[in-house]
Amino acid sequence: MTSKNKKRVILPTRPEPPTIEQILEDVRSACLSDPVFTSFVEGSEDFVSPLRVEVSMPDVDSQYQQSREYVDLNRRLQKELGELSTQCEQLKKAGKQLDLSISEIKDTNFQN
């Protein structure tokens, strides 16, 4: 039989993926003996006892507060960066003036 003679199989449409709530409910209702929560074979020296991790939806209010704190901190850092740049320029100018003063003092001392 050639590939031209084969009938094309129409696959059913893919179902929608489960929502987060459905996944969490499925995890919460699973038995501890569920193979997903066990590792290797019981009795093996590599056996890891099943652990159930409680999965919860992130607290929206705390995330919002964390985001606000991040934005405020970012603004403060930007402000400090500007002030540090200004202070850096002032220090460079002061350093140049100090170098000039030192060279003037050396000149007057060597001339005497």
Side-chain angles (χ1 to χ4, degrees), residues 42-78:
E42 195 169 352
S44 166
E45 51 188 63
D46 294 329
F47 175 72
V48 178
S49 63
L51 296 175
R52 304 236 4 226
V53 177
E54 193 59 36
V55 181
S56 63
M57 295 295 291
D59 184 20
V60 176
D61 291 332
S62 68
Q63 281 188 343
Y64 175 75
Q65 187 62 33
Q66 229 177 0
S67 299
R68 285 192 48 91
E69 289 171 3
Y70 172 78
V71 169
D72 291 341
L73 180 61
N74 194 16
R75 286 182 184 145
R76 282 183 39 214
L77 286 173
Q78 292 297 325

Side-chain angles (χ1 to χ4, degrees), residues 7-99:
K7 289 187 178 181
R8 188 169 207 173
V9 177
I10 298 175
L11 298 174
T13 59
R14 181 179 291 181
E16 290 293 319
T19 64
I20 293 176
E21 290 80 19
Q22 290 172 329
I23 293 171
L24 291 174
E25 179 60 33
D26 192 32
V27 169
R28 286 186 188 115
S29 65
C31 299
L32 285 177
S33 61
D34 191 312
V36 171
F37 298 110
T38 59
S39 189
F40 303 105
V41 179
E42 195 169 352
S44 166
E45 51 188 63
D46 294 329
F47 175 72
V48 178
S49 63
L51 296 175
R52 304 236 4 226
V53 177
E54 193 59 36
V55 181
S56 63
M57 295 295 291
D59 184 20
V60 176
D61 291 332
S62 68
Q63 281 188 343
Y64 175 75
Q65 187 62 33
Q66 229 177 0
S67 299
R68 285 192 48 91
E69 289 171 3
Y70 172 78
V71 169
D72 291 341
L73 180 61
N74 194 16
R75 286 182 184 145
R76 282 183 39 214
L77 286 173
Q78 292 297 325
K79 180 182 174 187
E80 293 294 327
L81 178 64
E83 290 176 12
L84 284 173
S85 295
T86 303
Q87 291 174 353
C88 182
E89 289 301 317
Q90 290 172 350
L91 284 173
K92 286 179 183 178
K93 287 179 185 177
K96 288 179 183 178
Q97 289 176 348
L98 183 62
D99 288 340

Side-chain angles (χ1 to χ4, degrees), residues 93-109:
K93 287 179 185 177
K96 288 179 183 178
Q97 289 176 348
L98 183 62
D99 288 340
L100 285 173
S101 298
I102 291 172
S103 64
E104 287 175 4
I105 291 171
K106 285 182 181 178
D107 289 343
T108 55
N109 283 340

